Amino acid sequence: MKKLLVALLALVSLAVVAAGCGGGDKKADNGADKKITLKVGATAVPHAEILNQIKGTLAKEGVDLQIIEFSDYVKPNLALNDKELDANFFQHEPYLDTFVSERKMNLVSAGKVHIEPMGIYSKKIKSLNDIPEGAKIAIPNDPSNGGRALALLQSAKLLKLKDGVGVKATVGDIVGNDKKLKIVEIEAALLPRSMDDTDLSVINSNFAMEAKLNPVKDSLFTEPKESPYANIVAVRKGDENRPEIQKLMNALRSPEVKKFIEDKYKGAVVAAF
């Protein structure tokens, strides 16, 4: 009888241990190990490169960062608005403001990350002093970058714009053009390819770098570092307070990312934090 009682007690003990182990496994399955997926659209250079630097940091904080690359300036905002993305990282705020105003979208900035100084490039001219009369100059065809390019040409003393037009300048706002320069508007991503057919091309740094142009060494004239055109992370309004978006912004504006930008781009991209 005593032997039977001992055997029963042993079986009960084993059952309790087994139940305890099972409960521990269930807790682990439902715990903090589960990652939140964060889909961020970006152009390849430098945005996707910068995002790749923080994948490990976010993974440690429970965020699986998925980077979706785009080659234009329209689809990333459309995809964000359609909830195919959680955020995008490719544009400056004046571009976003113009885009959402025209399309009645509810997208906002979650914060600034860096500045890509716009530059004037040429395969035919070594100095702005050598520009011939009637020279052909290509600029971006989207409103905010087009206005930015015209402002840059004015800073380089190649033309004069109406007072006060600022970022909304258009070709129609040119009031001084002594050299009768011909301005042609081209999609921003195609501007590096336009250099064979133009005397000058005004190119955003990300597309210049993708075309193996060094904005510091190869441009004839570059936007000053105090440019207001800082690149931002865009989100749907209200999502800027999501914990994973906050983690994304903290990682993008970390000392490690600042050092990466300084070491990698050597002035062609400048941290805005």
Short mmCIF file of all heavy atoms in Angstrom, two decimals, residues 74-141:
data_model
loop_
_atom_site.label_atom_id
_atom_site.label_comp_id
_atom_site.label_asym_id
_atom_site.label_seq_id
_atom_site.Cartn_x
_atom_site.Cartn_y
_atom_site.Cartn_z
N VAL A 74 6.60 60.13 -56.88
CA VAL A 74 5.14 60.13 -56.81
C VAL A 74 4.60 58.89 -56.08
O VAL A 74 3.80 58.99 -55.15
CB VAL A 74 4.52 60.24 -58.22
CG1 VAL A 74 3.00 60.14 -58.16
CG2 VAL A 74 4.94 61.56 -58.88
N LYS A 75 5.05 57.73 -56.51
CA LYS A 75 4.51 56.48 -55.96
C LYS A 75 4.67 56.32 -54.45
O LYS A 75 3.78 55.76 -53.80
CB LYS A 75 5.14 55.29 -56.69
CG LYS A 75 4.71 55.17 -58.14
CD LYS A 75 5.42 54.03 -58.84
CE LYS A 75 5.07 53.99 -60.33
NZ LYS A 75 5.85 52.95 -61.04
N PRO A 76 5.79 56.78 -53.83
CA PRO A 76 5.90 56.58 -52.38
C PRO A 76 4.79 57.26 -51.58
O PRO A 76 4.31 56.70 -50.59
CB PRO A 76 7.27 57.19 -52.05
CG PRO A 76 8.04 57.15 -53.32
CD PRO A 76 7.02 57.36 -54.41
N ASN A 77 4.36 58.44 -52.00
CA ASN A 77 3.27 59.12 -51.29
C ASN A 77 1.92 58.46 -51.58
O ASN A 77 1.06 58.36 -50.69
CB ASN A 77 3.21 60.60 -51.66
CG ASN A 77 4.22 61.42 -50.89
OD1 ASN A 77 4.62 61.06 -49.79
ND2 ASN A 77 4.64 62.53 -51.45
N LEU A 78 1.72 58.00 -52.82
CA LEU A 78 0.48 57.31 -53.15
C LEU A 78 0.37 56.02 -52.33
O LEU A 78 -0.70 55.69 -51.80
CB LEU A 78 0.42 57.00 -54.64
CG LEU A 78 0.42 58.20 -55.60
CD1 LEU A 78 0.40 57.71 -57.05
CD2 LEU A 78 -0.78 59.11 -55.32
N ALA A 79 1.48 55.29 -52.24
CA ALA A 79 1.48 54.03 -51.48
C ALA A 79 1.25 54.27 -50.00
O ALA A 79 0.56 53.50 -49.32
CB ALA A 79 2.81 53.30 -51.70
N LEU A 80 1.81 55.36 -49.47
CA LEU A 80 1.60 55.69 -48.06
C LEU A 80 0.14 56.06 -47.82
O LEU A 80 -0.48 55.60 -46.84
CB LEU A 80 2.51 56.86 -47.67
CG LEU A 80 2.37 57.39 -46.24
CD1 LEU A 80 2.65 56.29 -45.22
CD2 LEU A 80 3.31 58.57 -46.02
N ASN A 81 -0.42 56.85 -48.69
CA ASN A 81 -1.82 57.25 -48.55
C ASN A 81 -2.77 56.05 -48.64
O ASN A 81 -3.78 56.00 -47.95
CB ASN A 81 -2.17 58.27 -49.64
CG ASN A 81 -3.56 58.84 -49.47
OD1 ASN A 81 -3.84 59.57 -48.52
ND2 ASN A 81 -4.46 58.50 -50.39
N ASP A 82 -2.39 55.06 -49.47
CA ASP A 82 -3.22 53.86 -49.65
C ASP A 82 -2.95 52.78 -48.60
O ASP A 82 -3.44 51.66 -48.72
CB ASP A 82 -2.98 53.28 -51.05
CG ASP A 82 -3.50 54.17 -52.16
OD1 ASP A 82 -4.34 55.05 -51.85
OD2 ASP A 82 -3.06 54.03 -53.32
N LYS A 83 -2.13 53.11 -47.60
CA LYS A 83 -1.81 52.22 -46.48
C LYS A 83 -1.02 50.99 -46.89
O LYS A 83 -1.02 49.97 -46.20
CB LYS A 83 -3.08 51.81 -45.73
CG LYS A 83 -3.84 53.00 -45.13
CD LYS A 83 -5.02 52.55 -44.29
CE LYS A 83 -5.72 53.77 -43.67
NZ LYS A 83 -6.87 53.40 -42.83
N GLU A 84 -0.31 51.12 -48.02
CA GLU A 84 0.61 50.05 -48.42
C GLU A 84 1.95 50.20 -47.69
O GLU A 84 2.75 49.27 -47.65
CB GLU A 84 0.83 50.09 -49.93
CG GLU A 84 -0.42 49.80 -50.75
CD GLU A 84 -0.25 50.09 -52.23
OE1 GLU A 84 0.90 50.33 -52.65
OE2 GLU A 84 -1.25 50.07 -52.95
N LEU A 85 2.19 51.39 -47.14
CA LEU A 85 3.39 51.68 -46.36
C LEU A 85 2.97 52.27 -45.02
O LEU A 85 1.88 52.82 -44.88
CB LEU A 85 4.27 52.71 -47.08
CG LEU A 85 4.80 52.40 -48.48
CD1 LEU A 85 5.48 53.64 -49.07
CD2 LEU A 85 5.78 51.22 -48.43
N ASP A 86 3.88 52.19 -44.05
CA ASP A 86 3.66 52.85 -42.76
C ASP A 86 4.28 54.24 -42.74
O ASP A 86 3.87 55.11 -41.97
CB ASP A 86 4.27 52.01 -41.63
CG ASP A 86 3.60 50.66 -41.50
OD1 ASP A 86 2.42 50.62 -41.11
OD2 ASP A 86 4.25 49.64 -41.81
N ALA A 87 5.30 54.43 -43.59
CA ALA A 87 5.99 55.72 -43.67
C ALA A 87 6.78 55.74 -44.96
O ALA A 87 6.95 54.71 -45.62
CB ALA A 87 6.93 55.90 -42.47
N ASN A 88 7.24 56.93 -45.36
CA ASN A 88 8.21 56.99 -46.45
C ASN A 88 9.29 58.00 -46.12
O ASN A 88 9.10 58.88 -45.26
CB ASN A 88 7.56 57.24 -47.82
CG ASN A 88 6.93 58.61 -47.95
OD1 ASN A 88 7.49 59.63 -47.53
ND2 ASN A 88 5.74 58.67 -48.55
N PHE A 89 10.42 57.87 -46.79
CA PHE A 89 11.59 58.69 -46.51
C PHE A 89 12.30 58.96 -47.84
O PHE A 89 13.04 58.13 -48.33
CB PHE A 89 12.49 57.94 -45.53
CG PHE A 89 13.79 58.61 -45.17
CD1 PHE A 89 13.87 59.99 -45.02
CD2 PHE A 89 14.92 57.84 -44.95
CE1 PHE A 89 15.07 60.59 -44.67
CE2 PHE A 89 16.12 58.43 -44.60
CZ PHE A 89 16.19 59.81 -44.46
N PHE A 90 11.97 60.13 -48.45
CA PHE A 90 12.57 60.44 -49.75
C PHE A 90 12.47 61.91 -50.11
O PHE A 90 13.10 62.36 -51.05
CB PHE A 90 11.89 59.62 -50.87
CG PHE A 90 10.54 60.14 -51.25
CD1 PHE A 90 10.37 60.96 -52.36
CD2 PHE A 90 9.40 59.83 -50.50
CE1 PHE A 90 9.12 61.46 -52.71
CE2 PHE A 90 8.16 60.31 -50.84
CZ PHE A 90 8.02 61.13 -51.95
N GLN A 91 11.68 62.69 -49.38
CA GLN A 91 11.29 64.02 -49.85
C GLN A 91 11.55 65.09 -48.80
O GLN A 91 11.73 64.80 -47.62
CB GLN A 91 9.79 64.01 -50.18
CG GLN A 91 8.90 63.77 -48.96
CD GLN A 91 7.48 63.40 -49.32
OE1 GLN A 91 6.88 63.96 -50.23
NE2 GLN A 91 6.92 62.43 -48.59
N HIS A 92 11.54 66.36 -49.26
CA HIS A 92 11.60 67.46 -48.31
C HIS A 92 10.18 67.98 -48.07
O HIS A 92 9.24 67.65 -48.80
CB HIS A 92 12.54 68.57 -48.79
CG HIS A 92 12.29 69.06 -50.19
ND1 HIS A 92 11.12 69.70 -50.56
CD2 HIS A 92 13.07 69.01 -51.30
CE1 HIS A 92 11.19 70.03 -51.84
NE2 HIS A 92 12.35 69.61 -52.32
N GLU A 93 10.03 68.81 -47.03
CA GLU A 93 8.69 69.23 -46.61
C GLU A 93 7.96 70.09 -47.65
O GLU A 93 6.75 69.93 -47.83
CB GLU A 93 8.76 69.94 -45.26
CG GLU A 93 7.42 70.00 -44.57
CD GLU A 93 7.53 70.13 -43.06
OE1 GLU A 93 8.64 70.35 -42.56
OE2 GLU A 93 6.48 70.01 -42.40
N PRO A 94 8.64 71.03 -48.35
CA PRO A 94 7.91 71.79 -49.37
C PRO A 94 7.30 70.89 -50.45
O PRO A 94 6.20 71.16 -50.94
CB PRO A 94 8.99 72.72 -49.95
CG PRO A 94 9.94 72.93 -48.83
CD PRO A 94 10.00 71.60 -48.13
N TYR A 95 8.02 69.81 -50.82
CA TYR A 95 7.47 68.87 -51.80
C TYR A 95 6.24 68.17 -51.24
O TYR A 95 5.20 68.06 -51.91
CB TYR A 95 8.52 67.84 -52.21
CG TYR A 95 7.99 66.84 -53.23
CD1 TYR A 95 7.99 67.13 -54.59
CD2 TYR A 95 7.45 65.62 -52.83
CE1 TYR A 95 7.48 66.23 -55.52
CE2 TYR A 95 6.94 64.71 -53.74
CZ TYR A 95 6.96 65.02 -55.09
OH TYR A 95 6.45 64.14 -56.01
N LEU A 96 6.33 67.70 -49.99
CA LEU A 96 5.19 67.02 -49.37
C LEU A 96 4.00 67.96 -49.28
O LEU A 96 2.86 67.58 -49.60
CB LEU A 96 5.56 66.53 -47.97
CG LEU A 96 4.42 65.90 -47.16
CD1 LEU A 96 3.94 64.61 -47.81
CD2 LEU A 96 4.86 65.64 -45.72
N ASP A 97 4.24 69.20 -48.85
CA ASP A 97 3.14 70.17 -48.71
C ASP A 97 2.42 70.40 -50.04
O ASP A 97 1.18 70.44 -50.09
CB ASP A 97 3.68 71.50 -48.19
CG ASP A 97 4.14 71.42 -46.73
OD1 ASP A 97 3.78 70.43 -46.06
OD2 ASP A 97 4.86 72.32 -46.28
N THR A 98 3.20 70.53 -51.11
CA THR A 98 2.60 70.74 -52.43
C THR A 98 1.83 69.51 -52.87
O THR A 98 0.70 69.60 -53.37
CB THR A 98 3.70 71.06 -53.46
OG1 THR A 98 4.40 72.24 -53.05
CG2 THR A 98 3.11 71.30 -54.84
N PHE A 99 2.42 68.33 -52.67
CA PHE A 99 1.81 67.07 -53.10
C PHE A 99 0.47 66.84 -52.42
O PHE A 99 -0.54 66.54 -53.07
CB PHE A 99 2.77 65.92 -52.78
CG PHE A 99 2.45 64.62 -53.48
CD1 PHE A 99 3.12 64.26 -54.64
CD2 PHE A 99 1.48 63.75 -52.98
CE1 PHE A 99 2.82 63.06 -55.28
CE2 PHE A 99 1.18 62.56 -53.61
CZ PHE A 99 1.86 62.22 -54.77
N VAL A 100 0.43 66.98 -51.09
CA VAL A 100 -0.81 66.68 -50.36
C VAL A 100 -1.88 67.75 -50.60
O VAL A 100 -3.08 67.46 -50.57
CB VAL A 100 -0.55 66.51 -48.85
CG1 VAL A 100 0.41 65.36 -48.60
CG2 VAL A 100 -0.02 67.79 -48.21
N SER A 101 -1.44 68.99 -50.86
CA SER A 101 -2.40 70.05 -51.15
C SER A 101 -3.10 69.80 -52.48
O SER A 101 -4.32 69.96 -52.60
CB SER A 101 -1.68 71.40 -51.18
OG SER A 101 -2.56 72.43 -51.58
N GLU A 102 -2.33 69.38 -53.48
CA GLU A 102 -2.90 69.13 -54.81
C GLU A 102 -3.80 67.90 -54.83
O GLU A 102 -4.78 67.85 -55.56
CB GLU A 102 -1.77 68.96 -55.83
CG GLU A 102 -1.01 70.25 -56.12
CD GLU A 102 0.15 70.03 -57.07
OE1 GLU A 102 0.50 68.85 -57.33
OE2 GLU A 102 0.72 71.04 -57.54
N ARG A 103 -3.48 66.90 -54.01
CA ARG A 103 -4.22 65.63 -54.05
C ARG A 103 -5.13 65.42 -52.85
O ARG A 103 -5.72 64.36 -52.70
CB ARG A 103 -3.22 64.46 -54.17
CG ARG A 103 -2.50 64.44 -55.51
CD ARG A 103 -1.33 63.47 -55.48
NE ARG A 103 -0.72 63.31 -56.78
CZ ARG A 103 0.12 64.18 -57.33
NH1 ARG A 103 0.43 65.30 -56.69
NH2 ARG A 103 0.66 63.96 -58.52
N LYS A 104 -5.22 66.41 -51.98
CA LYS A 104 -6.11 66.35 -50.82
C LYS A 104 -5.82 65.13 -49.95
O LYS A 104 -6.71 64.38 -49.55
CB LYS A 104 -7.59 66.32 -51.24
CG LYS A 104 -7.99 67.39 -52.25
CD LYS A 104 -7.75 68.79 -51.73
CE LYS A 104 -8.16 69.84 -52.75
NZ LYS A 104 -7.72 71.20 -52.37
N MET A 105 -4.55 64.92 -49.66
CA MET A 105 -4.13 63.79 -48.83
C MET A 105 -3.84 64.25 -47.41
O MET A 105 -3.53 65.41 -47.17
CB MET A 105 -2.89 63.12 -49.42
CG MET A 105 -3.14 62.40 -50.72
SD MET A 105 -1.60 61.65 -51.34
CE MET A 105 -2.23 60.78 -52.78
N ASN A 106 -3.90 63.31 -46.47
CA ASN A 106 -3.67 63.63 -45.06
C ASN A 106 -2.33 63.05 -44.61
O ASN A 106 -2.27 62.20 -43.72
CB ASN A 106 -4.81 63.05 -44.21
CG ASN A 106 -5.32 64.05 -43.19
OD1 ASN A 106 -4.87 65.18 -43.14
ND2 ASN A 106 -6.24 63.61 -42.36
N LEU A 107 -1.25 63.52 -45.24
CA LEU A 107 0.10 63.06 -44.89
C LEU A 107 0.84 64.21 -44.22
O LEU A 107 0.68 65.37 -44.60
CB LEU A 107 0.87 62.61 -46.14
CG LEU A 107 0.19 61.59 -47.05
CD1 LEU A 107 1.11 61.24 -48.22
CD2 LEU A 107 -0.20 60.33 -46.27
N VAL A 108 1.68 63.87 -43.23
CA VAL A 108 2.41 64.90 -42.49
C VAL A 108 3.85 64.45 -42.26
O VAL A 108 4.19 63.28 -42.44
CB VAL A 108 1.75 65.19 -41.12
CG1 VAL A 108 0.34 65.74 -41.30
CG2 VAL A 108 1.74 63.94 -40.23
N SER A 109 4.68 65.38 -41.83
CA SER A 109 6.06 65.07 -41.49
C SER A 109 6.15 64.54 -40.07
O SER A 109 5.54 65.09 -39.15
CB SER A 109 6.93 66.33 -41.62
OG SER A 109 8.21 66.11 -41.05
N ALA A 110 6.95 63.47 -39.91
CA ALA A 110 7.24 62.95 -38.56
C ALA A 110 8.55 63.52 -38.04
O ALA A 110 8.91 63.29 -36.89
CB ALA A 110 7.31 61.43 -38.59
N GLY A 111 9.28 64.26 -38.90
CA GLY A 111 10.52 64.88 -38.46
C GLY A 111 11.58 64.92 -39.55
O GLY A 111 11.54 64.17 -40.52
N LYS A 112 12.55 65.83 -39.37
CA LYS A 112 13.64 66.02 -40.32
C LYS A 112 14.79 65.05 -40.03
O LYS A 112 15.03 64.68 -38.89
CB LYS A 112 14.18 67.45 -40.23
CG LYS A 112 13.15 68.52 -40.53
CD LYS A 112 13.74 69.92 -40.30
CE LYS A 112 12.70 71.00 -40.58
NZ LYS A 112 13.24 72.35 -40.33
N VAL A 113 15.50 64.67 -41.10
CA VAL A 113 16.64 63.76 -40.94
C VAL A 113 17.91 64.35 -41.54
O VAL A 113 18.94 64.44 -40.87
CB VAL A 113 16.35 62.37 -41.56
CG1 VAL A 113 17.57 61.46 -41.39
CG2 VAL A 113 15.12 61.75 -40.94
N HIS A 114 17.87 64.76 -42.82
CA HIS A 114 19.09 65.26 -43.45
C HIS A 114 18.77 66.24 -44.58
O HIS A 114 17.62 66.36 -45.00
CB HIS A 114 19.94 64.10 -43.97
CG HIS A 114 19.33 63.42 -45.16
ND1 HIS A 114 18.50 62.33 -45.04
CD2 HIS A 114 19.40 63.69 -46.50
CE1 HIS A 114 18.10 61.95 -46.25
NE2 HIS A 114 18.62 62.76 -47.15
N ILE A 115 19.79 66.90 -45.05
CA ILE A 115 19.67 67.81 -46.19
C ILE A 115 20.55 67.28 -47.31
O ILE A 115 21.68 66.84 -47.08
CB ILE A 115 20.13 69.24 -45.81
CG1 ILE A 115 19.23 69.81 -44.71
CG2 ILE A 115 20.14 70.15 -47.03
CD1 ILE A 115 19.77 71.05 -44.06
N GLU A 116 20.01 67.29 -48.53
CA GLU A 116 20.78 66.94 -49.73
C GLU A 116 20.91 68.19 -50.58
O GLU A 116 19.99 68.54 -51.31
CB GLU A 116 20.07 65.84 -50.52
CG GLU A 116 19.87 64.55 -49.76
CD GLU A 116 18.92 63.62 -50.48
OE1 GLU A 116 18.77 63.75 -51.72
OE2 GLU A 116 18.32 62.78 -49.81
N PRO A 117 22.01 68.91 -50.49
CA PRO A 117 22.15 70.15 -51.24
C PRO A 117 21.99 69.91 -52.75
O PRO A 117 22.62 69.02 -53.31
CB PRO A 117 23.57 70.63 -50.91
CG PRO A 117 23.89 69.95 -49.61
CD PRO A 117 23.20 68.63 -49.67
N MET A 118 21.13 70.68 -53.39
CA MET A 118 20.94 70.60 -54.84
C MET A 118 22.14 71.24 -55.53
O MET A 118 22.73 72.20 -55.02
CB MET A 118 19.65 71.31 -55.23
CG MET A 118 19.27 71.22 -56.69
SD MET A 118 17.66 72.04 -57.00
CE MET A 118 16.55 70.65 -56.83
N GLY A 119 22.52 70.71 -56.69
CA GLY A 119 23.69 71.25 -57.38
C GLY A 119 23.46 71.47 -58.86
O GLY A 119 22.51 70.93 -59.46
N ILE A 120 24.32 72.29 -59.46
CA ILE A 120 24.30 72.56 -60.90
C ILE A 120 25.46 71.78 -61.52
O ILE A 120 26.61 71.93 -61.10
CB ILE A 120 24.46 74.06 -61.20
CG1 ILE A 120 23.33 74.86 -60.53
CG2 ILE A 120 24.47 74.32 -62.71
CD1 ILE A 120 23.50 76.38 -60.63
N TYR A 121 25.16 70.94 -62.52
CA TYR A 121 26.15 70.05 -63.12
C TYR A 121 26.24 70.29 -64.63
O TYR A 121 25.29 70.76 -65.26
CB TYR A 121 25.77 68.58 -62.89
CG TYR A 121 25.72 68.19 -61.43
CD1 TYR A 121 24.59 68.44 -60.66
CD2 TYR A 121 26.80 67.56 -60.83
CE1 TYR A 121 24.53 68.09 -59.32
CE2 TYR A 121 26.75 67.19 -59.48
CZ TYR A 121 25.62 67.46 -58.74
OH TYR A 121 25.57 67.11 -57.41
N SER A 122 27.39 69.91 -65.20
CA SER A 122 27.55 70.00 -66.65
C SER A 122 28.64 69.05 -67.12
O SER A 122 29.63 68.81 -66.42
CB SER A 122 27.93 71.44 -67.04
OG SER A 122 28.13 71.52 -68.44
N LYS A 123 28.44 68.50 -68.32
CA LYS A 123 29.48 67.70 -68.98
C LYS A 123 30.23 68.56 -70.01
O LYS A 123 31.24 68.13 -70.55
CB LYS A 123 28.87 66.49 -69.69
CG LYS A 123 28.44 65.38 -68.74
CD LYS A 123 27.99 64.16 -69.54
CE LYS A 123 27.64 62.99 -68.61
NZ LYS A 123 27.22 61.80 -69.40
N LYS A 124 29.72 69.77 -70.25
CA LYS A 124 30.28 70.60 -71.33
C LYS A 124 30.99 71.85 -70.83
O LYS A 124 31.82 72.41 -71.53
CB LYS A 124 29.15 71.00 -72.29
CG LYS A 124 28.40 69.82 -72.90
CD LYS A 124 27.19 70.29 -73.69
CE LYS A 124 26.40 69.10 -74.23
NZ LYS A 124 25.17 69.52 -74.94
N ILE A 125 30.62 72.29 -69.64
CA ILE A 125 31.13 73.56 -69.14
C ILE A 125 31.89 73.33 -67.83
O ILE A 125 31.43 72.59 -66.95
CB ILE A 125 29.96 74.55 -68.90
CG1 ILE A 125 29.28 74.87 -70.23
CG2 ILE A 125 30.43 75.83 -68.22
CD1 ILE A 125 27.97 75.63 -70.07
N LYS A 126 33.05 73.94 -67.70
CA LYS A 126 33.88 73.77 -66.52
C LYS A 126 33.64 74.85 -65.47
O LYS A 126 33.97 74.68 -64.31
CB LYS A 126 35.38 73.79 -66.91
CG LYS A 126 35.78 72.69 -67.88
CD LYS A 126 35.57 71.32 -67.29
CE LYS A 126 36.00 70.22 -68.26
NZ LYS A 126 35.70 68.87 -67.73
N SER A 127 33.05 75.96 -65.86
CA SER A 127 32.80 77.07 -64.95
C SER A 127 31.54 77.81 -65.37
O SER A 127 31.24 77.91 -66.57
CB SER A 127 34.00 78.03 -64.95
OG SER A 127 33.68 79.25 -64.30
N LEU A 128 30.82 78.35 -64.40
CA LEU A 128 29.62 79.12 -64.72
C LEU A 128 29.96 80.38 -65.52
O LEU A 128 29.10 80.92 -66.21
CB LEU A 128 28.88 79.51 -63.43
CG LEU A 128 28.29 78.35 -62.61
CD1 LEU A 128 27.54 78.90 -61.40
CD2 LEU A 128 27.37 77.48 -63.45
N ASN A 129 31.19 80.81 -65.44
CA ASN A 129 31.61 81.98 -66.23
C ASN A 129 31.66 81.68 -67.72
O ASN A 129 31.72 82.60 -68.55
CB ASN A 129 32.99 82.45 -65.76
CG ASN A 129 32.96 82.97 -64.34
OD1 ASN A 129 31.97 83.56 -63.91
ND2 ASN A 129 34.04 82.74 -63.59
N ASP A 130 31.67 80.38 -68.07
CA ASP A 130 31.80 79.98 -69.48
C ASP A 130 30.46 79.69 -70.15
O ASP A 130 30.42 79.20 -71.28
CB ASP A 130 32.68 78.71 -69.58
CG ASP A 130 34.07 78.93 -69.02
OD1 ASP A 130 34.55 80.08 -69.07
OD2 ASP A 130 34.67 77.96 -68.50
N ILE A 131 29.36 79.98 -69.48
CA ILE A 131 28.04 79.66 -70.05
C ILE A 131 27.77 80.53 -71.27
O ILE A 131 27.82 81.76 -71.20
CB ILE A 131 26.93 79.87 -69.01
CG1 ILE A 131 27.14 78.92 -67.83
CG2 ILE A 131 25.56 79.64 -69.61
CD1 ILE A 131 26.19 79.14 -66.69
N PRO A 132 27.47 79.90 -72.41
CA PRO A 132 27.21 80.69 -73.63
C PRO A 132 25.80 81.27 -73.63
O PRO A 132 24.91 80.81 -72.91
CB PRO A 132 27.37 79.66 -74.74
CG PRO A 132 26.96 78.36 -74.09
CD PRO A 132 27.43 78.44 -72.67
N GLU A 133 25.58 82.26 -74.45
CA GLU A 133 24.23 82.83 -74.60
C GLU A 133 23.32 81.76 -75.20
O GLU A 133 23.70 81.01 -76.09
CB GLU A 133 24.28 84.05 -75.52
CG GLU A 133 22.96 84.78 -75.61
CD GLU A 133 23.08 86.14 -76.30
OE1 GLU A 133 24.02 86.88 -75.98
OE2 GLU A 133 22.23 86.43 -77.16
N GLY A 134 22.10 81.68 -74.68
CA GLY A 134 21.14 80.70 -75.18
C GLY A 134 21.38 79.30 -74.66
O GLY A 134 20.81 78.32 -75.19
N ALA A 135 22.19 79.15 -73.62
CA ALA A 135 22.48 77.82 -73.07
C ALA A 135 21.19 77.14 -72.60
O ALA A 135 20.24 77.78 -72.13
CB ALA A 135 23.45 77.95 -71.90
N LYS A 136 21.17 75.82 -72.73
CA LYS A 136 20.01 75.02 -72.35
C LYS A 136 20.22 74.47 -70.94
O LYS A 136 21.23 73.80 -70.66
CB LYS A 136 19.84 73.87 -73.35
CG LYS A 136 18.57 73.04 -73.18
CD LYS A 136 18.53 71.99 -74.30
CE LYS A 136 17.29 71.12 -74.21
NZ LYS A 136 17.30 70.08 -75.27
N ILE A 137 19.28 74.76 -70.02
CA ILE A 137 19.40 74.34 -68.63
C ILE A 137 18.18 73.49 -68.25
O ILE A 137 17.04 73.93 -68.39
CB ILE A 137 19.49 75.56 -67.69
CG1 ILE A 137 20.68 76.44 -68.08
CG2 ILE A 137 19.62 75.10 -66.24
CD1 ILE A 137 20.84 77.67 -67.20
N ALA A 138 18.44 72.28 -67.74
CA ALA A 138 17.36 71.39 -67.32
C ALA A 138 17.15 71.50 -65.81
O ALA A 138 18.11 71.53 -65.04
CB ALA A 138 17.70 69.94 -67.69
N ILE A 139 15.88 71.56 -65.41
CA ILE A 139 15.52 71.61 -63.99
C ILE A 139 14.42 70.57 -63.74
O ILE A 139 13.78 70.10 -64.68
CB ILE A 139 15.04 73.01 -63.57
CG1 ILE A 139 13.71 73.37 -64.26
CG2 ILE A 139 16.11 74.07 -63.86
CD1 ILE A 139 13.06 74.65 -63.72
N PRO A 140 14.16 70.20 -62.46
CA PRO A 140 13.08 69.24 -62.17
C PRO A 140 11.72 69.81 -62.58
O PRO A 140 11.48 71.01 -62.50
CB PRO A 140 13.16 69.07 -60.65
CG PRO A 140 14.54 69.49 -60.28
CD PRO A 140 14.90 70.58 -61.24
N ASN A 141 10.82 68.91 -62.99
CA ASN A 141 9.51 69.38 -63.47
C ASN A 141 8.42 69.37 -62.40
O ASN A 141 7.28 69.74 -62.67
CB ASN A 141 9.05 68.55 -64.68
CG ASN A 141 8.74 67.10 -64.33
OD1 ASN A 141 8.99 66.65 -63.20
ND2 ASN A 141 8.22 66.36 -65.28
#
